[in-house]
Amino acid sequence: MKFKQNQLIEKFTAKNGTTIILRTPKWNDLNQLLEFINSLVKEDAPILMAVKRKTKKEETKWLKEKLDNMKKGKEFSIVGEISGKIVGSSEIRIFSERSVHVGQLGIAIVKN
């Protein structure tokens, strides 16, 4: 299954009245995604990344790969957005060749 950039997945209201949007990532998210991942590293969240991405160039390479993989159906990614700010990210990476029935799930949400 292939997904487009900025494709709405779900929009709902949390119990506290906050509107949450789940959608696929887009190029305009680049700066927010860099801030998001660096904030997770700073708070020492239990994620695979332990060192901040230092440059926009590194984040651009990462996002390009993610969007390309989504177009090819090799990955599914969504971001969680509240009031226009990315507060969460999730992905399923599909393995290749004889393991196409296997995937890796990642979920990250900012502390606050």
Side-chain angles (χ1 to χ4, degrees), residues 37-97:
I37 191 63
N38 285 338
S39 74
L40 292 173
V41 172
K42 185 178 178 180
E43 75 179 45
D44 198 25
I47 58 173
L48 294 176
M49 188 169 210
V51 178
K52 288 184 178 183
R53 285 199 180 105
K54 294 183 177 33
T55 68
K56 202 171 186 176
K57 184 177 179 180
E58 290 173 296
E59 192 70 3
T60 300
K61 180 181 175 185
W62 173 84
L63 184 56
K64 181 185 182 323
E65 182 180 310
K66 179 169 290 305
L67 295 174
D68 287 348
N69 282 339
M70 287 178 65
K71 283 181 190 174
K72 295 173 186 173
K74 294 181 178 181
E75 182 173 339
F76 175 64
S77 288
I78 61 173
V79 293
E81 180 183 304
I82 296 175
S83 300
K85 183 168 178 155
I86 294 175
V87 296
S89 177
S90 180
E91 66 187 23
I92 298 173
R93 291 183 186 174
I94 301 164
F95 292 6
S96 59
E97 298 179 18

Side-chain angles (χ1 to χ4, degrees), residues 7-20:
Q7 180 178 340
L8 179 67
I9 305 298
E10 177 111 21
K11 183 177 181 178
F12 61 95
T13 304
K15 289 180 182 180
N16 68 0
T18 303
T19 300
I20 301 169

